[in-house]
Amino acid sequence: MALLALRGIGMRYGAVQALAGLDLDIAGGEVLALCGDNGAGKSSLVKILAGAQAPSEGSLALDGRETRFRGPQDALRQGVATIYQDLAVAPRLSIWQNVFLGSELTRPPFGLLDKRRMAEASRGFLARLAVGIADMDTPVERLSGGQRQAVAICRALRWEARIIIMDEPTAALGVKETAQVLDLIRRLHAEGRTVILVSHAMGDVVAVAQRVVVLKGGRKVADRPTGAMRAEDLAGLVLRAGTE
């Protein structure tokens, strides 16, 4: 049984058909990549999976039970976390404040913030990702791009997300930081979490994904295991898909 199953998903914006008849099964614990040119439908699909938009047609099933995400918080409560390209972090807040933003821990009897417990938990999340940052009071704006991505992932772990959607996580990062983010994805996979990776970086996709789905014109035109696929093979698949 697929962890997340999509059937006949369609999305319209007025007269524009962004997605049409999309069927997709996502297995628990896999790293699935979504690829395609601009306008292929990737962003619309991510918004549906994130609970930001309801599909115009079709259904979603989680653990074999049909579900409907009534908003991003509802998707998060059901175990689906989305990390957008801008990460949605608060740069001037500390690491622990970002990890627990909107879900702060308090101490009885007066409901004061339990900073120590949140800092310790944040350190534990980072340790699971093999990211060594000593001071949890460090403002996120002082972190590298790879470290910021780790903080965003820690927030998903704090919510115990089983499915983590990462939208262009290595965009605008250097070689070293890109390698760090790819290692973060590998560690999520090792924990048994499902990662949906949206990326234009073909090298990154073949480095970490077990399967790639290619969208074109709002339709699924290819669904292949990456296996021994090279970056140039994937680039060719994206270019040719739907024309053969």
Side-chain angles (χ1 to χ4, degrees), residues 103-217:
S103 61
E104 292 81 1
L105 303 179
T106 58
R107 288 181 287 129
F110 302 112
L112 299 176
L113 289 179
D114 195 338
K115 173 186 170 182
R116 177 179 296 181
R117 193 150 60 105
M118 288 187 282
E120 288 176 354
S122 297
R123 187 176 290 108
F125 290 138
L126 287 170
R128 283 164 58 180
L129 298 172
V131 177
I133 303 175
D135 188 1
M136 294 299 101
D137 285 321
T138 303
V140 167
E141 63 186 357
R142 295 184 189 173
L143 303 179
S144 70
Q147 290 172 329
R148 292 186 189 195
Q149 189 74 233
V151 170
I153 292 173
C154 285
R155 189 158 56 200
L157 295 179
R158 184 270 179 281
W159 282 98
E160 300 183 354
R162 293 184 295 161
I163 300 172
I164 300 177
I165 304 166
M166 303 181 73
D167 186 14
E168 299 289 354
T170 60
L173 295 184
V175 174
K176 182 178 179 181
E177 292 181 339
T178 294
Q180 184 179 19
V181 171
L182 296 182
D183 190 53
L184 293 175
I185 295 172
R186 293 187 185 99
R187 290 185 179 276
L188 290 173
H189 175 58
E191 281 199 357
R193 298 183 194 277
T194 299
V195 178
I196 300 174
L197 171 65
V198 182
S199 181
H200 283 96
M202 304 293 100
D204 296 351
V205 168
V206 298
V208 296
Q210 287 80 55
R211 184 164 61 108
V212 59
V213 167
V214 180
L215 301 182
K216 187 171 186 177

Side-chain angles (χ1 to χ4, degrees), residues 51-76:
Q53 290 183 338
S56 303
E57 55 198 26
S59 63
L60 288 80
L62 191 61
D63 284 326
R65 300 178 62 179
E66 189 168 335
T67 188
R68 188 178 188 88
F69 299 142
R70 303 186 184 281
Q73 284 299 116
D74 186 36
L76 197 53

Side-chain angles (χ1 to χ4, degrees), residues 212-235:
V212 59
V213 167
V214 180
L215 301 182
K216 187 171 186 177
R219 297 181 181 275
K220 184 176 73 173
V221 293
D223 188 340
R224 308 276 178 82
T226 53
M229 190 181 288
R230 301 170 300 170
E232 51 266 38
D233 298 329
L234 178 54

Side-chain angles (χ1 to χ4, degrees), residues 85-106:
Q85 188 174 336
D86 63 5
L87 300 181
V89 293
R92 296 186 180 182
L93 296 184
S94 68
I95 292 171
W96 68 265
Q97 287 173 314
N98 270 278
V99 172
F100 284 87
L101 193 63
S103 61
E104 292 81 1
L105 303 179
T106 58

